[in-house]
Amino acid sequence: KKELAASIGKCVFIDPGHHDILYCMNENSIVENKRTYRYTSNQTAIEKKSRKLRKLCENLKPDTVKAAELSLSGHTFSTVN
C-alpha cells in the first residue's frame, strides 16, 4: 500500500505503435532532458534472431520443396478446390 500511495500523481505515457512496439515517456521529460524508452520491432527481431533463422531455413530447403512452392505460388490460395 505504501508503494501505491507513493505513486499517486506520477505517471508514464505509453504509446504502442507500428515501428516502435512500445514508446514510453516519463511525465517529467522535457526537450532538453528526454526521459524515454523505445522498444522497436527491429530490436525484437535481433533478440529472436528471426532474420538469421529465416535465411538459414531458406538456404537449407531442398530444391524439390523450392520447386513445389514456386509452382503453388501461381495459384490463388483462397480457392476451396
Side-chain angles (χ1 to χ4, degrees):
K1 290 185 178 183
K2 290 180 182 180
E3 288 181 26
L4 182 59
S7 67
I8 292 176
K10 297 180 180 180
C11 62
V12 175
F13 303 102
I14 299 175
D15 178 29
H18 294 286
H19 177 69
D20 295 333
I21 296 172
L22 187 63
Y23 184 85
C24 303
M25 181 176 71
N26 190 296
E27 67 178 356
N28 298 328
S29 180
I30 56 176
V31 175
E32 294 82 19
N33 184 19
K34 291 184 180 180
R35 296 179 66 192
T36 60
Y37 174 76
R38 286 178 43 196
Y39 189 71
T40 62
S41 56
N42 187 39
Q43 190 174 350
T44 306
I46 290 170
E47 289 173 358
K48 293 180 180 179
K49 298 180 182 179
S50 59
R51 292 185 188 120
K52 182 178 179 180
L53 292 175
R54 187 178 334 118
K55 288 179 184 178
L56 181 65
C57 287
E58 190 65 33
N59 290 339
L60 294 176
K61 194 180 293 184
D63 291 334
T64 55
V65 174
K66 288 180 184 179
E69 287 178 346
L70 184 64
S71 67
L72 288 173
S73 67
H75 301 286
T76 57
F77 61 89
S78 61
T79 59
V80 178
N81 324 21

